[in-house]
Amino acid sequence: MNKRNYPFVISIAGVSGGGKTTITKRLNKRLTNTKVLFFDDYDVEGPIDIIDWVDKGAVYDEWNLDEFFVDLKELIDSPLEYIILDYPFAYKHAKIKSLIDLAVYIDTPLDIAMARRVVRDYNNRSKESILNEMENYLSRGRRGYLEMIQSIKPCSDFIVDGTLPPSIIVDKIYHNIINE
C-alpha cells in the first residue's frame, strides 16, 4: 500500500478516554509492517498544572518530547511501511509535526470519554476517589478536555466519530490511509 521509501506516520489523537489506544492497537493489526509508539509509555515532562497551562494559552511546545522524538526518528529510518502514534497532540508540537503524514482525531463526546476513563482508571478505587475525580472534572478538568477539542481537532486531517464501534473506526481510518 505505502509506495514510499520511508514509513507513513499516522497520529491518533483525541481526549483521554476517547479511544486512542484501542484504535491504535486495532489499526496496528490491520496494517502491515507497522510499529507503534504509545505516548503513555514515555515519561514525558509537561506542565505540573494542566489547567494553569491551558489558562496560559496551552503552548504544546512546552512539553518535553525528546525521548518520544528520538524513538520516532529512529523508526522513520527503519524499513517500515507505517508508524502509528498513540499521541494526543496531532500537529501541535513543533518537533513532531513535520514527521506526521496523517493526523486522525477521534471525536468522542466528553461524557462517553469520561465514563470510559472512570471505568478504566477507577475500577478498584473507592467511591470517594471517583466522586473526587468527578468534582475535579467539573471544577477544573473539563477545561483541559475542551482545549483538546478546540485546538487538536481543527488541526487534524481526518476526524472520525468516536461513538462508532472500534471496527468501523478502524475501517474508516484504514480506507483514508490507503486512499492517501
Side-chain angles (χ1 to χ4, degrees), residues 93-131:
H93 195 283
K95 207 169 208 178
I96 305 293
K97 74 179 181 180
S98 65
L99 303 176
I100 296 172
D101 295 299
L102 177 70
V104 175
Y105 184 84
I106 302 173
D107 191 15
T108 305
L110 296 185
D111 62 327
I112 293 173
M114 178 53 66
R116 288 176 181 168
R117 199 170 79 76
V118 168
V119 168
R120 177 189 73 201
D121 297 346
Y122 290 83
N123 191 26
N124 296 315
R125 306 280 290 277
S126 70
K127 177 178 93 173
E128 290 77 22
S129 66
I130 295 170
L131 291 174

Side-chain angles (χ1 to χ4, degrees), residues 5-140:
N5 291 330
Y6 51 91
F8 187 83
V9 179
I10 306 142
S11 168
I12 307 294
V15 298
S16 179
K20 294 182 299 296
T21 301
T22 297
I23 299 309
T24 297
K25 288 177 179 178
R26 288 182 178 217
L27 185 60
N28 183 43
K29 289 180 182 176
R30 182 84 182 264
L31 296 170
T32 59
N33 195 18
T34 304
K35 291 285 186 181
V36 175
L37 291 180
F38 293 95
F39 184 80
D40 289 345
D41 287 347
Y42 291 83
D43 188 17
V44 174
E45 294 175 30
I48 294 170
D49 184 330
I50 298 295
I51 302 311
D52 182 55
W53 172 77
V54 167
D55 291 344
K56 290 179 178 176
V59 177
Y60 288 85
D61 288 341
E62 291 177 8
W63 292 76
N64 180 348
L65 302 182
D66 289 347
E67 185 182 351
F68 188 83
F69 176 76
V70 166
D71 286 354
L72 177 54
K73 285 289 284 180
E74 185 176 301
L75 287 177
I76 285 175
D77 292 332
S78 64
L80 295 168
E81 286 189 61
Y82 301 97
I83 300 169
I84 307 170
L85 308 178
D86 177 340
Y87 169 70
F89 301 155
Y91 293 116
K92 294 302 272 184
H93 195 283
K95 207 169 208 178
I96 305 293
K97 74 179 181 180
S98 65
L99 303 176
I100 296 172
D101 295 299
L102 177 70
V104 175
Y105 184 84
I106 302 173
D107 191 15
T108 305
L110 296 185
D111 62 327
I112 293 173
M114 178 53 66
R116 288 176 181 168
R117 199 170 79 76
V118 168
V119 168
R120 177 189 73 201
D121 297 346
Y122 290 83
N123 191 26
N124 296 315
R125 306 280 290 277
S126 70
K127 177 178 93 173
E128 290 77 22
S129 66
I130 295 170
L131 291 174
N132 286 338
E133 178 60 23
M134 294 297 98
E135 288 175 12
N136 179 59
Y137 174 79
L138 291 172
S139 66
R140 294 175 41 87

Side-chain angles (χ1 to χ4, degrees), residues 1-8 80-82 177-178 180:
M1 283 182 281
N2 177 15
K3 307 285 189 256
R4 304 179 321 172
N5 291 330
Y6 51 91
F8 187 83
L80 295 168
E81 286 189 61
Y82 301 97
I177 291 167
I178 62 169
E180 277 286 317

